[in-house]
């Protein structure tokens, strides 16, 4: 049985100057592909709300959904580090509830949790770290605050982002996602803090990159932010295959003798 990557392995890789790769996974299909590709971290992201649940944003995702997906990703992988993304409402109400919810992620098989925010989450991060729960921070555009930012934009200055990143690292996060942070600021943050940064739309200077499985593989043809690179066109290929199947069923081309008993 393969040994599962640890937080220490991830930090050592970044410390050696090697780039980290992180991709979302929500089910056995995506988890196995992410693992087989040798990706370092599988993020069970609350982006499951938009990718699989057909929601306009991540706000409707709850703990029950996240634990369901986390358990599947952890059970169907052996090597990749699994991080559970704390959904909106699971850590904003009070600290006791937040710690309880983070514990549930670890019981479901995750090795760490991720949560969004800066100064307001510092005491919580300290408490979680004391309780043995590794936390990944998330700064820049934080999709759970989309109603405050009025869409995908960063509403903090360079100095505020720097201060948030430094305080998160001091509070004990093991890594920080930087979403849509301008490349130069992401570079400065990466140089000034002691934990790895993982960028999404934050340029090439972070210690690693993260993309959403469905976006990078072309399941979501209408989602086209500047930072996204599509490595495969699932939607186009799947649509052509389904149309061909329909045509063959209707025209009698499928099934043939070779598909029959
Ligand atoms: O939910 C998610 O997929 C994320 C990544 C975009 C970092 O938070």
């Amino acid at each position: 049985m393969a040994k599962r990557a640890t937080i220490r392995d991830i930090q050592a890789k970044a410390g050696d100057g090697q780039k980290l790769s992180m991709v979302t996974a929500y089910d056995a299909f995506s988890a196995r592909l992410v693992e087989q590709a040798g990706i370092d971290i599988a993020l069970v992201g609350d982006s499951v709300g938009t990718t699989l649940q057909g929601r306009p944003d991540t706000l409707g995702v709850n703990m029950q959904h996240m634990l369901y997906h986390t358990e599947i990703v952890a059970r169907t992988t052996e090597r990749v580090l699994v991080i559970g993304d704390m959904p909106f409402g699971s850590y904003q109400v009070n600290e006791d509830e937040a710690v309880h919810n983070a514990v549930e992620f670890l019981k479901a098989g995750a090795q760490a949790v991720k949560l969004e925010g800066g100064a307001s989450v510092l005491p919580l991060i300290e408490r979680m770290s004391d309780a043995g729960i590794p936390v990944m921070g998330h700064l820049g555009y934080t999709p759970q605050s989309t109603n405050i930012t009025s869409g995908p934009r960063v509403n903090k200055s360079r100095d505020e982002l720097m201060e948030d990143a430094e305080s998160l690292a001091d509070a004990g996060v093991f890594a920080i996602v930087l979403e849509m942070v301008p490349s130069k600021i992401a570079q400065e943050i990466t140089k000034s803090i002691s934990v790895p940064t993982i960028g999404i739309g934050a340029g090439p200077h972070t210690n690693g990159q993260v993309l959403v499985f469905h976006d990078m593989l072309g399941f979501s043809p209408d989602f086209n932010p500047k930072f996204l690179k599509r490595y495969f066109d699932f939607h186009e290929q799947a649509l052509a295959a389904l149309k061909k199947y329909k045509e063959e069923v209707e025209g009698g081309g499928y099934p043939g003798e070779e598909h029959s008993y």
Side-chain angles (χ1 to χ4, degrees):
M1 193 157 151
K3 178 185 158 299
R4 194 169 294 272
T6 62
I7 303 288
R8 190 194 261 250
D9 296 331
I10 297 298
Q11 291 185 326
K13 184 168 178 180
D16 281 351
Q18 296 178 63
K19 295 279 186 179
L20 300 170
S21 54
M22 177 160 98
V23 175
T24 60
Y26 319 105
D27 50 21
F29 170 75
S30 53
R32 287 189 182 126
L33 281 171
V34 165
E35 169 126 310
Q36 283 166 24
I39 301 291
D40 296 306
I41 304 171
L43 172 68
V44 187
D46 65 352
S47 51
V48 70
T50 51
T51 54
L52 290 192
Q53 297 177 345
R55 298 177 191 273
D57 53 44
T58 59
L59 302 183
V61 178
N62 61 34
M63 276 300 293
Q64 210 182 342
H65 303 146
M66 292 307 300
L67 293 179
Y68 171 81
H69 291 288
T70 301
E71 192 276 325
I72 294 172
V73 172
R75 179 164 43 78
T76 53
T77 55
E78 291 186 349
R79 182 205 48 77
V80 72
L81 185 85
V82 177
I83 301 184
D85 204 5
M86 298 198 67
F88 181 59
S90 71
Y91 60 98
Q92 288 89 348
V93 179
N94 69 61
E95 276 187 24
D96 288 344
E97 192 176 283
V99 175
H100 167 80
N101 285 331
V103 165
E104 292 302 305
F105 271 103
L106 266 59
K107 286 186 191 291
Q111 281 75 61
V113 297
K114 175 171 85 57
L115 52 88
E116 300 180 4
S120 62
V121 293
L122 296 177
L124 180 57
I125 289 168
E126 279 168 14
R127 225 182 118 181
M128 286 186 180
S129 304
D130 284 349
I133 305 161
V135 182
M136 173 178 269
H138 186 154
L139 294 173
Y141 173 52
T142 48
Q144 292 174 13
S145 306
T146 189
N147 287 316
I148 297 279
T149 55
S150 300
R153 58 181 59 83
V154 180
N155 65 348
K156 292 205 170 175
S157 66
R158 173 223 169 258
D159 289 356
E160 287 170 324
L161 289 168
M162 288 292 291
E163 199 180 312
D164 277 349
E166 279 161 10
S167 334
L168 283 184
D170 290 345
V173 297
F174 72 93
I176 303 178
V177 167
L178 298 177
E179 181 158 356
M180 290 175 65
V181 170
S183 180
K184 210 165 164 317
I185 301 176
Q187 182 175 27
E188 276 187 81
I189 292 175
T190 303
K191 277 192 186 150
S192 80
I193 63 171
S194 54
V195 298
T197 57
I198 301 191
I200 173 161
H205 306 294
T206 50
N207 298 110
Q209 297 292 327
V210 52
L211 284 176
V212 169
F213 182 92
H214 290 70
D215 300 338
M216 68 176 294
L217 295 179
F219 287 69
S220 48
D222 300 329
F223 182 65
N224 289 300
K226 182 178 179 191
F227 67 75
L228 179 62
K229 177 166 176 182
R230 277 221 172 80
Y231 287 83
F232 185 62
D233 202 337
F234 178 85
H235 182 84
E236 202 176 293
Q237 306 233 24
L239 194 59
L242 286 166
K243 283 182 178 166
K244 187 160 170 50
Y245 163 72
K246 173 182 151 67
E247 210 177 278
E248 289 190 359
V249 168
E250 289 175 357
Y254 176 82
E257 274 311 310
E258 69 277 30
H259 307 115
S260 306
Y261 297 96

